[in-house]
């Protein structure tokens, strides 16, 4: 089974999500305002990747396990058609596709539970609210065997490691490093919102 386009999933990306999706960078760093559609895009990317990578493991990590469930679990169940799902375990926030790939939702608040598993891809949602050490000392090494991807998305939170990482990704890309690309959007860049409500 291959999940490889928006039409087969229950989502249509808006025009400002498409450049992020079209990027070929292994490490994508997205700073965007609230209600831009960061999490929907993230879940879409995980579903596509899982459909292309049998028996691989993909993680979505939120600042806490509770946030992972409230923010992303029902988005995942909505975007991914039931016919693609072999098994779902809500108590573990885990979905297994018919190709054997797994999508798991995790919380950064239980760091020890995140060690060891080889990953084909990971998304850190609201990365500015997650400790940098989780990326540098835990998750990064779990992508080595598979050359897996990592996407970092967050609303701004002053100056912190995510701010620096976003700027560094931009510098690396400008120097020709195609593994990195950064993006910046505001809430107003979501064309599906009623902009009168935002004024």
């Amino acid at each position: 089974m291959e999940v490889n386009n928006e039409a087969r999933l229950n989502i249509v990306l808006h025009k400002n999500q498409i450049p992020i999706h079209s990027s070929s960078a292994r490490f994508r760093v997205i700073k965007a305002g609230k209600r831009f559609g960061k999490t929907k895009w993230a879940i879409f990317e995980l579903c596509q990747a899982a459909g292309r990578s049998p028996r691989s493991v993909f993680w979505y990590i939120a600042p806490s396990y509770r946030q992972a469930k409230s923010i992303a679990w029902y988005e995942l169940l909505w975007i991914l058609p039931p016919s693609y799902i072999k098994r779902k375990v809500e108590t573990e926030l885990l979905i297994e596709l018919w190709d054997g790939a797994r999508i798991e939702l995790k919380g950064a608040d239980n760091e020890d539970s995140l060690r060891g598993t080889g990953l084909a891809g990971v998304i850190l949602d609201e990365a500015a609210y997650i400790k940098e050490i989780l990326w540098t000392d835990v998750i990064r090494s779990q992508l080595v065997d598979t050359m897996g991807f990592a996407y970092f998305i967050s609303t701004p939170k002053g100056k912190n490691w995510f701010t620096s990482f976003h700027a560094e990704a931009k510098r690396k890309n400008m120097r020709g490093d195609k593994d990195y690309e950064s993006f910046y959007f505001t809430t107003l860049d979501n064309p599906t919102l009623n902009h009168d409500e935002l004024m």
Side-chain angles (χ1 to χ4, degrees), residues 44-55:
F44 165 77
E45 295 294 342
L46 289 180
C47 290
Q48 279 213 324
R52 292 191 299 260
S53 306
R55 300 178 64 188

Side-chain angles (χ1 to χ4, degrees), residues 89-105:
V89 185
E90 185 167 355
T91 55
E92 299 178 22
L93 301 186
L94 177 153
I95 282 182
E96 182 180 359
L97 305 186
W98 285 101
D99 67 358
R102 298 199 318 267
I103 299 172
E104 302 179 34
L105 309 188

Side-chain angles (χ1 to χ4, degrees), residues 47 116 174 194:
C47 290
M174 291 178 68
N194 182 341

Side-chain angles (χ1 to χ4, degrees), residues 19-177:
I20 315 172
H21 169 65
S22 299
S23 170
S24 60
R26 182 182 175 199
F27 303 111
R28 304 178 204 175
V29 188
I30 302 98
K31 185 189 296 185
K34 294 179 179 179
R35 314 313 303 165
F36 171 76
K38 300 183 296 296
T39 299
K40 285 184 173 66
W41 169 80
I43 297 300
F44 165 77
E45 295 294 342
L46 289 180
C47 290
Q48 279 213 324
R52 292 191 299 260
S53 306
R55 300 178 64 188
S56 297
V57 179
F58 299 87
W59 281 1
Y60 164 96
I61 303 176
S64 71
Y65 185 83
R66 183 174 181 178
Q67 285 173 293
K69 184 171 185 178
S70 64
I71 294 171
W73 179 245
Y74 296 105
E75 291 283 7
L76 177 58
L77 294 180
W78 172 256
I79 290 171
L80 192 62
S83 60
Y84 291 179
I85 299 172
K86 178 180 179 181
R87 180 172 66 107
K88 65 180 178 182
V89 185
E90 185 167 355
T91 55
E92 299 178 22
L93 301 186
L94 177 153
I95 282 182
E96 182 180 359
L97 305 186
W98 285 101
D99 67 358
R102 298 199 318 267
I103 299 172
E104 302 179 34
L105 309 188
K106 303 287 186 177
D109 52 344
N110 190 355
E111 183 181 309
D112 288 340
S113 71
L114 301 178
R115 298 181 183 276
T117 302
L119 301 172
V122 62
I123 290 180
L124 278 71
D125 197 353
E126 295 299 358
Y129 298 83
I130 293 173
K131 293 178 182 177
E132 181 181 10
I133 195 172
L134 181 71
W135 164 242
T136 58
D137 291 16
V138 181
I139 300 300
R140 181 65 184 91
S141 63
Q142 291 165 222
L143 301 170
V144 172
D145 293 346
T146 63
M147 290 296 292
F149 65 80
Y151 303 155
F152 307 79
I153 58 179
S154 190
T155 50
K157 187 197 173 189
K159 293 184 178 180
N160 51 50
W161 80 271
F162 176 75
T163 306
S164 301
F165 191 65
H166 183 270
E168 181 63 17
K170 183 176 182 179
R171 285 193 293 269
K172 287 183 175 182
N173 183 261
M174 291 178 68
R175 293 195 299 261
D177 188 340

